């Protein structure tokens, strides 16, 4: 089955076409046929498209909305010049899978999309006002193009964390605020944490019940997850993605009274405060330079930039604190798994400078650590390290494609 995976942002569309079936899943032989990203939708969109085994095609085309962006993708997919294997017409797309950021408390499993599901996703807009409307645009665009003949599935970022117990997801606020408004921790990056936990089991030989690990998704957005017996029991992101680790442009954990203080001192409105903690803080805010970890490490090394170093140190310290907290939360773990653009490509984020957990039994092998970049997967713990250390590149699109297949076939999810 050829599955089109869509990830729609407010002004972007990312996609992959993945060929898979139950046998391919069992053998881990799914095939990525094409992928691409369209950015700045609504103006002159920047487009990068790539078919399997071919060089990327880059272009700039005016695209007014997500429907126009999807039309552009599909026109390219079926074009003989694209070179996408097995795709010559829209009938060669058999299902569409959508990444949906927020499912709230009701949408805790991947599901086939119907009118009722769309209504429930729309009800979660107040919890994810920047993300769910864009996700719905992707669903509506695909419905307009494909009609009712092709099934579509929704896979939720929040669903993996629906197994958290109340002591993990509740805030210490008056309980009636949770009852009335569902103010609680939901967590995000669930598809990533779930995928790397699955890959860890393949690499380590553990079964689902034997999966007791800490996963770290470190990129422009960052989150940590405590996974016990295969299920999420705690995670660092909260009601929104702003809580937790230091991120590219997000502050992470913050005394909420700081916002009231800045409101009075700087005259900042609620919208300005929201922009401050989500778009102007984190690595960018501390360094004053960039939210790119690679550039900060280069500035620190080549120019001894003090604020670049400070931003990196803050980032690494927060990672260490969450690892330590989750080791205590779980009464120990078998492994720590790093993923994401930073976690998978910058050894500094996972070497002695970052975890420094020798006292707790996690000892990296620096040579092995330095070699795990550029999408490489493997273990980098030193000989005798009681806690195993892994780099596992995430593959959220593959997970979405597999869940879509299972939804279409009515096969229960195995992991």
């Amino acid at each position: 089955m050829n599955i089109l995976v869509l990830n729609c942002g407010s002004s972007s569309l990312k996609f992959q076409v993945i060929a898979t079936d139950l046998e391919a899943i069992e053998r881990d032989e799914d095939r990525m046929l094409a992928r691409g990203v369209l950015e700045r939708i609504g103006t002159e969109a920047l487009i990068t498209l790539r078919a399997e085994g071919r060089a990327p095609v880059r272009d700039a085309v005016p695209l007014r909305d997500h429907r126009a962006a999807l039309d552009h993708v599909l026109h390219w997919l079926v074009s003989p010049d694209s070179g996408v294997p097995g795709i010559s017409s829209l009938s060669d797309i058999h299902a569409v899978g959508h990444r949906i950021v927020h499912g709230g408390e009701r949408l805790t499993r991947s599901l086939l999309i119907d009118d009722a599901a769309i209504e429930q996703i729309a009800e979660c807009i107040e919890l994810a006002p920047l993300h769910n409307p864009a996700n719905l645009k992707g669903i509506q665009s695909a419905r307009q193009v494909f009609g009712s003949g092709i099934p579509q599935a929704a896979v939720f970022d929040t669903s993996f964390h629906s197994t958290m117990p109340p002591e993990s997801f509740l805030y210490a606020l008056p309980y009636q605020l949770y009852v009335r408004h569902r103010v609680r921790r939901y967590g995000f990056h669930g598809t990533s944490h779930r995928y790397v936990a699955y890959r860890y089991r393949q690499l380590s030989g553990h079964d689902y019940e034997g999966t007791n690990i800490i996963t770290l998704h470190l990129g422009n957005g960052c989150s940590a997850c405590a996974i016990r017996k295969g299920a999420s029991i705690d995670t660092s992101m909260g009601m929104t993605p702003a809580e937790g680790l230091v991120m590219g442009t997000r502050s992470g954990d913050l005394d909420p009274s700081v916002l009231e203080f800045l409101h009075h001192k700087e005259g900042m409105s609620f919208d300005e405060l929201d922009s401050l903690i989500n778009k102007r803080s984190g690595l960018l805010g501390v360094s004053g330079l960039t939210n790119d970890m690679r550039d900060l490490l280069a500035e620190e090394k080549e120019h001894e930039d003090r604020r670049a170093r400070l931003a990196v140190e803050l980032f690494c310290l927060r990672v260490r604190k969450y690892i330590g907290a989750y080791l205590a939360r779980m009464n120990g773990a078998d492994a720590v798994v790093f993923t994401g653009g930073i976690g998978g490509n910058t050894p500094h984020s996972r070497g002695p400078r970052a975890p420094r957990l020798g006292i707790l039994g996690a000892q990296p092998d620096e040579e092995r650590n330095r070699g795990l970049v550029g999408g490489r997967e493997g273990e980098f713990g030193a000989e005798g390290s009681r806690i195993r250390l892994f780099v596992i590149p995430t593959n959220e699109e593959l997970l979405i494609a597999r869940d879509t297949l299972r939804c279409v076939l009515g096969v229960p999810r195995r992991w």
Side-chain angles (χ1 to χ4, degrees), residues 108-316:
T108 60
R109 306 283 288 185
S110 301
L111 50 77
L112 288 176
I113 295 171
D114 56 17
D115 290 342
I118 289 175
E119 184 176 334
Q120 289 178 312
I121 293 169
E123 289 174 358
C124 295
I125 286 176
E126 66 177 359
L127 297 173
L130 297 179
H131 298 94
N132 275 33
N135 302 156
L136 285 167
K137 288 179 182 178
I139 292 172
Q140 298 293 1
S141 297
R143 277 187 147 194
Q144 292 166 10
V145 171
F146 292 106
S148 59
I150 292 181
Q152 299 190 56
V155 181
F156 301 93
D157 258 14
T158 50
S159 65
F160 182 62
H161 304 299
S162 64
T163 53
M164 289 192 297
E167 61 268 27
S168 290
F169 71 68
L170 284 175
Y171 292 113
L173 294 169
Y175 189 78
Q176 60 265 32
L177 294 177
Y178 166 66
V179 174
R180 290 206 301 263
H181 306 298
R182 289 300 183 258
V183 175
R184 51 159 288 178
R185 174 177 289 108
Y186 290 94
F188 300 89
H189 291 149
T191 50
S192 178
H193 291 294
R194 184 179 144 208
Y195 177 81
V196 298
Y198 153 76
R199 279 298 298 162
Y200 164 79
R201 289 193 289 276
Q202 288 192 313
L203 295 173
S204 67
H206 285 83
D207 62 11
Y208 189 90
E209 288 288 317
T211 302
N212 298 297
I213 61 176
I214 297 166
T215 53
L216 297 163
H217 180 106
L218 306 179
N220 192 49
C222 300
S223 63
C225 184
I227 299 174
R228 185 170 65 196
K229 295 184 178 180
S232 170
I233 64 165
D234 213 334
T235 191
S236 59
M237 283 182 166
M239 185 168 174
T240 76
E243 186 180 356
L245 301 171
V246 173
M247 307 178 218
T249 62
R250 296 186 186 120
S251 65
D253 290 341
L254 182 72
D255 180 345
S257 293
V258 169
L259 302 181
E260 181 189 14
F261 179 84
L262 292 176
H263 168 67
H264 292 296
K265 288 291 185 181
E266 297 280 336
M268 299 177 76
S269 67
F270 288 119
D271 287 343
E272 289 171 328
L273 290 169
D274 182 75
S275 175
L276 174 73
I277 63 172
N278 282 290
K279 298 178 180 179
R280 297 191 282 126
S281 297
L283 295 176
L284 173 64
V286 176
S287 71
L289 296 171
T290 177
N291 62 330
D292 192 306
M293 177 65 81
R294 296 164 299 183
D295 292 341
L296 291 175
L297 290 170
E299 286 292 326
E300 178 189 3
K301 182 178 180 180
E302 296 171 14
H303 305 293
E304 298 184 351
D305 189 285
R306 182 185 64 84
R307 285 177 58 185
R309 178 179 178 79
L310 182 59
V312 174
E313 289 292 344
L314 276 171
F315 179 94
C316 293

Side-chain angles (χ1 to χ4, degrees), residues 20-30 160 190-208 211-213 215 227 230-231 337 377 390 392-396 398-400 402-403 406 413-415:
T20 188
D21 54 35
L22 295 179
E23 186 175 333
I25 293 175
E26 192 67 31
R27 297 182 178 181
D28 208 22
E29 293 178 350
D30 320 75
F160 182 62
T191 50
S192 178
H193 291 294
R194 184 179 144 208
Y195 177 81
V196 298
Y198 153 76
R199 279 298 298 162
Y200 164 79
R201 289 193 289 276
Q202 288 192 313
L203 295 173
S204 67
H206 285 83
D207 62 11
Y208 189 90
T211 302
N212 298 297
I213 61 176
T215 53
I227 299 174
V337 180
E377 175 184 80
F390 289 86
I392 299 178
T394 193
N395 196 334
E396 296 172 83
L398 177 59
L399 185 145
I400 293 169
R402 289 176 169 180
D403 266 20
R406 293 187 181 102
R413 190 182 92 191
R414 292 180 57 191
W415 47 270

